[in-house]
Amino acid sequence: MILNTDENQNIEYKESWNDKYLEWICGFANAQGGRIFIGVNDAHEVVGVAESKRLMEDIPNKIVGRLGIVADVNLHQSDGLDFIEIVVEPCNMPISFMGKYHYRTGSTKQELKGIALEEFLLKKVGKQWDDMEHPSATIDCIDPEAIRYFIRKGTKSKRITEDALGDTPKEVLENLHLFSDDGHLRNAAILLFAKEPQKYFSGIQFKIGRFGKDEADLIFQDVVEGNILQMADKVMDLLKGKYLKSPIHYDGMQRIEPLEIPEEALREMLYNSIVHKLYSGAPIQMKVYDEYIELWNEGELPAGYTIDTLWQKHLSKPRNLKIADVFNKVGFIEAWGRGFKKIQEGFESEDMEKPVYEVFCGGLLATIKRPDVGNDVGNDVGNDVGNNVGNDGIVKLTERQRRIYHLIAATPDVSARQMSEIFAVTERTIERDLAVLQKKGIVRHEGKARTGHWVVLI
């Protein structure tokens, strides 16, 4: 006899019994349940199992004794051959085998460790990481300015009443249910409002880097720290002032400088990365290249969701409910799963390709194609920039000189000393490179040697 059902996320075939298969039963119980057939080979053929009567006693006893759960163990026959079916129901409590937690995903079994284990255990007991209480943080760690920022934004969005204007920080946190029953601050309170949340948790930073042709070509970088409620504002300020361009055009006599990426759509992407981040994981990372931008935050999609789900009508399933609630109250996000629709509409309004999302390295990676809005930093320098630059004809630069150009274009007040630290060479070497760039008419220094600034000429 051949069983018709293929091996999948809920079915496993084994030719004979081995106590190691208790791990598979553990994995099924921790996931969506499933069935294990003993005495059936990988081709789904019944090959029979020896000592079936003994196994019918041993297997149920071992499941109860070592896993603490009950499973249905059924004996079947086919063409005179015995085979056993073990039916495992999903368990609402975490199940371990010999101190280890296993989980069935797809057609494989995984041993859960580290962050994956932490998330699994919290989910099984109906908790989220941002809802957990912190044993040592007190109200003294809360930044009153962050509380005032929340109230200003919330009243402006009309999602909190003006009565909150007179509330103390403690009253605000209580109204947001950010204290535990024991009076301890929840993790979300620290992330959202603490003066220095990095003292309590690692991985709270937002890292931004400007790269040249690839990720090995890092030109400069910044790390945004502090509470996550005001983080998006700080990131946007950096992007506007240092990393992205605002091409100038005129509407009549009015000078207009829109950001090269639709600003509201970009903010929505930043909010998503902050709200849905796995905060026991790595920092959020944004890499700005000449032609595209990458934005990555750690954290898998909700169970049953795919990238296609995000672009379609769907329910909101935030990883961090407390954090999402605060971001909703200040008007940063909606509570209806409309974030990706707003992103798509923002890019379409500017006739730009919408970002490409993919699951990558345990998180979500968004890639934004940058528009061609004129001479980009690094697109021309180092290649042929024209025959009319200085008296040297076509400009040819070394790799370091090209990177210096990048840096000056983004940070006009950078000093030679700072450049020497960034590029790990002597200040004298930097001065020689700067002399080349000035001689070729690429950059010019204005003002005093120590207090002036650079001007990019091409």
Side-chain angles (χ1 to χ4, degrees):
M1 175 182 176
I2 298 178
L3 300 184
N4 293 326
T5 307
D6 289 338
E7 194 171 81
N8 57 38
Q9 117 177 26
N10 301 109
I11 294 180
E12 188 73 27
Y13 296 115
K14 303 296 181 185
E15 290 191 25
S16 60
W17 174 256
N18 187 309
D19 285 357
K20 185 176 178 63
Y21 298 150
L22 290 168
E23 294 181 356
W24 293 87
I25 296 173
C26 176
F28 279 131
N30 283 328
Q32 300 172 20
R35 294 183 293 165
I36 301 178
F37 290 93
I38 308 298
V40 181
N41 64 18
D42 290 340
H44 312 166
E45 299 171 336
V46 176
V47 297
V49 63
E51 300 182 321
S52 58
K53 291 184 179 179
R54 179 182 61 81
L55 288 175
M56 286 296 294
E57 294 182 4
D58 286 355
I59 293 175
N61 289 335
K62 287 177 178 178
I63 294 174
V64 172
R66 301 191 187 183
L67 298 176
I69 60 174
V70 176
D72 289 333
V73 182
N74 305 312
L75 180 63
H76 301 283
Q77 275 196 338
S78 174
D79 299 328
L81 298 173
D82 290 344
F83 67 99
I84 294 172
E85 176 192 30
I86 305 170
V87 181
V88 185
E89 296 294 334
C91 188
N92 59 7
M93 293 295 292
I95 304 300
S96 67
F97 174 61
M98 299 182 69
K100 297 179 179 179
Y101 293 86
H102 301 272
Y103 192 85
R104 176 75 172 199
T105 176
S107 59
T108 63
K109 176 191 67 65
Q110 297 177 351
E111 180 187 342
L112 299 176
K113 298 179 180 179
I115 293 172
L117 176 57
E118 179 184 49
E119 275 209 307
F120 165 76
L121 294 175
L122 287 172
K123 182 178 179 181
K124 278 294 183 181
V125 298
K127 290 281 189 179
Q128 291 186 306
W129 184 87
D130 69 331
D131 193 40
M132 300 296 289
E133 64 181 58
H134 196 284
S136 62
T138 68
I139 192 68
D140 292 336
C141 81
I142 299 300
D143 184 359
E145 176 51 38
I147 296 291
R148 288 191 288 270
Y149 176 88
F150 165 76
I151 295 173
R152 288 197 305 271
K153 292 290 185 178
T155 53
K156 183 178 180 181
S157 70
K158 300 188 183 303
R159 295 184 182 182
I160 63 174
T161 67
E162 293 189 357
D163 294 342
L165 293 170
D167 288 350
T168 66
K170 188 173 188 294
E171 289 171 333
V172 170
L173 297 181
E174 286 174 342
N175 291 335
L176 292 171
H177 307 291
L178 294 180
F179 281 104
S180 69
D181 294 339
D182 297 332
H184 292 110
L185 288 176
R186 300 189 188 278
N187 288 342
I190 301 169
L191 292 174
L192 289 160
F193 300 110
K195 300 169 187 172
E196 297 179 89
Q198 291 76 22
K199 284 186 175 181
Y200 301 90
F201 309 112
S202 60
I204 312 302
Q205 300 91 347
F206 195 118
K207 293 186 175 182
I208 313 174
R210 180 63 170 92
F211 294 81
K213 56 188 177 183
D214 55 43
E215 63 182 11
D217 186 17
L218 176 62
I219 301 166
F220 52 85
Q221 62 181 329
D222 289 281
V223 178
V224 177
E225 295 186 327
N227 71 71
I228 64 172
L229 184 62
Q230 296 172 281
M231 183 174 281
D233 282 354
K234 296 177 182 178
V235 171
M236 285 299 298
D237 287 344
L238 268 173
L239 293 177
K240 289 179 179 180
K242 188 171 181 180
Y243 288 86
L244 302 182
K245 294 184 295 183
S246 298
I248 301 170
H249 68 273
Y250 289 86
D251 184 1
M253 295 297 293
Q254 184 180 4
R255 177 186 171 108
I256 301 174
E257 298 182 56
L259 197 63
E260 63 175 272
I261 306 297
E263 186 169 337
E264 291 306 310
L266 182 56
R267 276 190 177 273
E268 187 70 32
M269 295 178 71
L270 295 179
Y271 293 145
N272 280 344
S273 68
I274 293 169
V275 170
H276 298 292
K277 178 187 176 333
L278 177 66
Y279 277 100
S280 52
I284 300 172
Q285 299 174 34
M286 176 177 273
K287 298 178 180 179
V288 181
Y289 294 89
D290 292 342
E291 298 179 353
Y292 61 94
I293 301 166
E294 291 182 345
L295 174 63
W296 178 86
N297 67 276
E298 188 163 1
E300 299 284 359
L301 291 173
Y305 277 33
T306 66
I307 297 298
D308 288 340
T309 307
L310 301 178
W311 291 114
Q312 300 166 3
K313 184 177 181 180
H314 64 277
L315 295 176
S316 176
K317 293 185 178 181
R319 178 184 307 279
N320 305 295
L321 279 172
K322 297 290 186 185
I323 293 172
D325 178 58
V326 170
F327 271 66
N328 173 256
K329 281 183 167 61
V330 294
F332 289 169
I333 64 171
E334 301 292 336
W336 305 100
R338 293 187 62 253
F340 273 73
K341 181 175 178 60
K342 291 172 66 176
I343 293 170
Q344 181 172 346
E345 290 172 349
F347 278 83
E348 287 179 348
S349 69
E350 299 297 328
D351 293 324
M352 291 177 61
E353 295 179 20
K354 72 180 183 182
V356 175
Y357 277 86
E358 60 184 302
V359 176
F360 179 76
C361 289
L364 204 58
L365 175 67
T367 303
I368 306 169
K369 184 178 180 181
R370 298 181 70 183
D372 182 9
V373 290
N375 287 337
D376 197 358
V377 176
N379 284 348
D380 300 317
V381 178
N383 299 314
D384 296 349
V385 297
N387 294 321
N388 58 348
V389 180
N391 298 317
D392 295 331
I394 294 175
V395 175
K396 297 291 185 181
L397 301 179
T398 67
E399 178 67 13
R400 187 175 60 247
Q401 289 165 355
R402 184 180 67 83
R403 294 177 68 189
I404 289 173
Y405 173 89
H406 277 279
L407 182 58
I408 288 174
T411 315
D413 59 351
V414 65
S415 68
R417 180 183 58 79
Q418 290 171 324
M419 289 187 230
S420 70
E421 294 173 355
I422 292 171
F423 298 116
V425 295
T426 65
E427 191 170 340
R428 179 58 185 149
T429 298
I430 293 295
E431 289 172 348
R432 284 196 293 267
D433 286 333
L434 290 171
V436 171
L437 293 174
Q438 292 180 88
K439 181 179 179 181
K440 291 180 178 291
I442 296 171
V443 300
R444 179 178 71 242
H445 192 270
E446 295 183 351
K448 296 181 179 179
R450 296 293 180 185
T451 60
H453 64 276
W454 294 96
V455 176
V456 172
L457 302 177
I458 62 172

